[in-house]
Amino acid sequence: MINNALETYKKRTKKDLLTHPLAVRLETCNSPGDIIALLQEQVQRLDQSQSNDERLSKWLDPTVNVLQTLSSVLEAGARLVCFRTYLL
């Protein structure tokens, strides 16, 4: 599903998100905390007011945690499917 979304984006915009410098840096993240730190660094570069930074940070932390949990669930589900296919 994610690969389809990336391909659709690439077709529509002629830009490959996987080659974006931020995507490359995100691949090295090993935990939600790493992702949050990287995204907060990007937010600070936007030169926004302090109140906007805090509001974005309050939204960012739980969002990254939910995405990490979803990713873990999908990964576990994929392992079950692969395992069952292997046994058949």
Side-chain angles (χ1 to χ4, degrees), residues 9-51:
Y9 181 86
K10 186 176 179 179
K11 286 178 186 176
R12 290 183 184 172
T13 65
K14 308 294 186 232
K15 296 178 182 179
D16 186 0
L17 285 178
L18 295 177
T19 61
H20 189 279
L22 183 58
V24 173
R25 290 186 64 197
L26 281 168
E27 286 182 6
T28 65
C29 294
N30 295 316
S31 70
D34 291 345
I35 296 169
I36 290 168
L38 177 59
L39 294 177
Q40 285 177 334
E41 176 186 314
Q42 297 300 310
V43 168
Q44 290 173 353
R45 289 183 180 180
L46 292 176
D47 194 31
Q48 295 177 343
S49 71
Q50 183 65 27
S51 63

Side-chain angles (χ1 to χ4, degrees), residues 48-75:
Q48 295 177 343
S49 71
Q50 183 65 27
S51 63
N52 286 339
D53 286 347
E54 289 174 13
R55 186 175 39 172
L56 183 58
S57 185
K58 286 180 184 177
W59 170 86
L60 186 62
D61 292 352
T63 301
V64 170
N65 286 324
V66 166
L67 291 173
Q68 175 65 26
T69 302
L70 178 60
S71 175
S72 297
V73 169
L74 291 174
E75 182 180 353

